[in-house]
Amino acid sequence: MSKIITLVAALLAVVTVASPAVADGPGWSDGDNRYGYVEVSADRKHITVCDNYADSTSVYAEYATTYLLKHTVKDEKGGDLECGEDSVFFGTITVFKICFRFNHVSRYCKNSVWIKR
């Protein structure tokens, strides 16, 4: 039981490290025009991440659901027309953040976006 409590605490710490931003509207998005963006559908069931350029910067999103599960979705083929997508079947997406990995070495994530209605 203590392993489960430790896991849940660790997952919450990962998505709350940065100061949260709150988004409202028909859907949610965050990004950087230089590298890429992430979008969450209005029903909070689908997430899309797009890498704008085929370069040495990779773009991905980390997100959590109402069941406290943490997931990562990537755009594996940066710069093409297809983006990385994922869906939630149980619960909804509650928080997400866009992350960038530069030259396969350093990592930067923007502030978390908490989804509230």
Side-chain angles (χ1 to χ4, degrees):
M1 183 67 173
S2 66
K3 288 182 182 181
I4 293 172
I5 293 170
T6 302
L7 177 63
V8 170
L11 289 174
L12 287 174
V14 167
V15 295
T16 60
V17 169
S19 61
V22 177
D24 290 314
W28 296 266
S29 64
D30 194 14
D32 183 325
N33 290 334
R34 292 177 298 168
Y35 300 111
Y37 62 92
V38 60
E39 294 179 342
V40 174
S41 63
D43 65 0
R44 299 172 20 187
K45 294 281 194 181
H46 309 280
I47 187 167
T48 302
V49 63
C50 294
D51 187 343
N52 290 340
Y53 301 104
D55 56 12
S56 61
T57 301
S58 58
V59 179
Y60 61 99
E62 295 178 350
Y63 68 97
T65 67
T66 50
Y67 287 101
L68 300 177
L69 298 174
K70 182 185 162 222
H71 305 276
T72 301
V73 60
K74 300 177 185 178
D75 181 352
E76 299 288 346
K77 301 176 184 175
D80 66 357
L81 296 177
E82 293 183 26
C83 297
E85 297 179 347
D86 203 1
S87 296
V88 175
F89 296 103
F90 299 106
T92 56
I93 298 169
T94 56
V95 61
F96 69 93
K97 63 183 172 182
I98 188 168
C99 299
F100 310 97
R101 185 171 305 276
F102 303 99
N103 297 319
H104 307 288
V105 178
S106 63
R107 174 182 178 241
Y108 166 75
C109 293
K110 291 184 70 177
N111 289 344
S112 299
V113 176
W114 289 87
I115 300 174
K116 298 188 182 221
R117 287 265 186 228

